[in-house]
Amino acid sequence: MSGSKSLLIDSIGELFTANDDGDLYYDAALVVEDGKIAWVGHRLERPAADEYLDLGNRAVVPGFVDSHAHLVFAGDRSGEFDARMSGEPYDGGGIRNTVAATRNAKDDRLRENCARLTAEMLRQGTTTVEIKSGYGLTVEDELRSLRIAGEFTTETTYLGAHTVPTGADPDEYTALAAGPMLDACAPHAKWIDVFCERGAFDGDQARAVLTAGAAAGLQTRVHANQLTEGPGVRLAVELGAASADHCTHLSDADVDALANSSTVATLLPGAEFSTRSPYPDARRLIDAGARVALATDCNPGSSFTSSMAFCIALAVREMRMTPAEALYAATSGGADALRRTDIGRIVPGARADFVVLDAPSYVHLAYRPGTPLVQAVYREGRVVA
């Protein structure tokens, strides 16, 4: 043990580690030291520690890893939601409404909104979140979006190719997103993403932006196959992207490509809920051998939820996932989608990010949808919510 104090968290009724070996402990304990997990196991075998906490047989799960979120924005699109619920179809065009509001907003307003949403996520158990740009669509506005995102996470994504701005030529805007805009934004981003979809960017345009981003040192991820079957998933696999996100409309070839690659299929059921669209078939992907993640897609238009627990419940009810599969996808799956091995799992050496549930089992996340079950949130071994 090092010079810092160790903490024994005892009397865990059920401990879901999200380890790939599938370890689920009952009557468990864990030890935290230096912000990391030092020991995990059955409480009868627990080691001594400097400090002690009794959880009273509550369940413990890893902190949620939300690998897809759009949190730097201004404006409200509840009217758009109301229209969809009244029968208008979703076509993705509302992005431009948020772009106009975001461009007109001061930095402080964007920062306050991002702070509010990340705090909301943390209270609900999300200990790591990815944040995209994409509501600026000018060099200056994309750059300031990424600077603000970087105040809240290290997982920042340049999404200059979110949609083509009103009145812009698609090919000229693609050249801007792959050129001067990328040059300005790359120092402030870890990832590059493209909305490869009907009405946004086609396969050739997406390839141009993604390959330019990779040449600039950014890692790739792709908005793929949300509204229709298209080239997005196979482009993501071809380029070795960490994640293909949405994956709602997949051909057999798309499923095979994901199953035989390291690209994670990140499913975003909040978007289908909010747009009354068909849900992705998670069962088909899992049975084929693809790695699956869950994320909120938190954004003001098509999925304004910050709750990973809600997405777990949707995945179980609507996407044919078991409660265990959904929780894996929301924790270790999300970590894989960010190519992280230090989060999303409660194993020795991992960052001590975990959630105490006011429930006897992780199954209650899906069994009791909409119920505030998070009793405490730990990040790097400290209570943060």
Side-chain angles (χ1 to χ4, degrees):
M1 294 282 185
S2 71
S4 66
K5 288 185 177 181
S6 56
L7 171 64
L8 170 64
I9 298 180
D10 199 9
S11 298
I12 301 171
E14 180 185 89
L15 176 60
F16 188 99
T17 69
N19 190 5
D20 287 339
D21 294 334
D23 288 338
L24 179 64
Y25 294 98
Y26 299 97
D27 197 22
L30 64 87
V31 175
V32 174
E33 186 175 19
D34 290 331
K36 296 182 178 181
I37 303 295
W39 179 89
V40 175
H42 296 287
R43 67 184 302 266
L44 293 179
E45 301 169 356
R46 64 195 184 278
D50 299 313
E51 298 179 346
Y52 175 87
L53 177 65
D54 188 314
L55 288 190
N57 293 317
R58 292 182 173 89
V60 170
V61 301
F64 301 131
V65 180
D66 190 344
S67 61
H68 185 126
H70 307 252
L71 305 185
V72 183
F73 67 86
D76 178 87
R77 285 162 63 186
S78 57
E80 181 184 315
F81 175 82
D82 185 39
R84 286 199 303 272
M85 296 306 103
S86 301
E88 291 187 15
Y90 175 70
D91 63 4
I95 292 171
R96 294 183 179 89
N97 296 329
T98 300
V99 169
T102 302
R103 287 178 177 177
N104 289 327
K106 300 294 186 182
D107 286 8
D108 286 348
R109 183 179 174 192
L110 297 177
R111 183 175 292 109
E112 289 167 4
N113 191 49
C114 195
R116 176 180 62 84
L117 290 170
T118 52
E120 192 174 280
M121 289 176 162
L122 187 64
R123 289 194 301 270
Q124 298 175 90
T126 296
T127 50
T128 301
V129 61
E130 177 260 16
I131 303 176
K132 304 177 190 296
S133 68
Y135 291 128
L137 308 189
T138 67
V139 174
E140 178 183 352
D141 288 307
E142 286 297 294
L143 177 57
R144 72 180 181 131
S145 293
L146 284 166
R147 284 175 169 159
I148 291 168
E151 296 175 20
F152 300 93
T153 185
T154 60
E155 302 293 344
T156 53
T157 299
Y158 165 58
L159 183 58
H162 197 185
T163 193
V164 178
T166 302
D169 177 81
D171 290 331
E172 290 180 0
Y173 184 76
T174 299
L176 175 68
M181 187 182 289
L182 170 64
D183 293 340
C185 292
H188 303 277
K190 178 179 178 180
W191 301 94
I192 185 166
D193 195 349
V194 174
F195 190 15
C196 182
E197 185 59 75
R198 176 195 67 199
F201 296 85
D202 65 24
D204 290 339
Q205 293 165 336
R207 182 191 302 277
V209 175
L210 292 169
T211 54
L218 302 182
Q219 299 180 68
T220 55
R221 48 204 323 108
V222 184
H223 279 61
N225 299 54
Q226 178 186 4
L227 305 177
T228 59
E229 286 187 24
V233 162
R234 276 170 282 176
L235 179 62
V237 171
E238 175 194 334
L239 297 180
S243 181
D245 297 32
H246 286 291
C247 295
T248 309
H249 299 276
L250 301 180
S251 66
D252 289 343
D254 294 327
V255 174
D256 289 343
L258 288 165
N260 292 288
S261 76
S262 61
T263 300
V264 176
T266 299
L267 310 182
L268 310 170
E272 280 70 42
F273 176 88
S274 183
T275 60
R276 281 188 174 161
S277 301
Y279 286 90
D281 190 345
R283 180 85 273 130
R284 180 185 179 201
L285 286 162
I286 292 168
D287 289 348
R291 182 66 164 167
V292 170
L294 288 175
T296 63
D297 191 18
C298 184
N299 75 81
S302 60
S303 184
F304 204 6
T305 179
S306 57
S307 173
M308 288 289 279
F310 174 63
C311 292
I312 287 170
L314 286 178
V316 172
R317 173 62 182 84
E318 303 290 349
M319 290 159 50
R320 301 196 295 158
M321 298 180 81
T322 68
E325 288 168 341
L327 183 51
Y328 269 105
T331 54
S332 62
D336 287 347
L338 296 176
R339 291 191 168 153
R340 297 276 297 271
T341 59
D342 61 325
I343 56 175
R345 301 168 180 85
I346 301 177
V347 294
R351 205 168 76 177
D353 295 355
F354 55 91
V355 178
V356 180
L357 300 178
D358 196 10
S361 171
Y362 72 89
V363 177
H364 282 231
L365 290 167
Y367 175 49
R368 302 190 66 202
T371 305
L373 296 178
V374 174
Q375 193 266 340
V377 182
Y378 287 74
R379 188 157 58 190
E380 295 188 79
R382 295 180 294 113
V383 177
V384 291

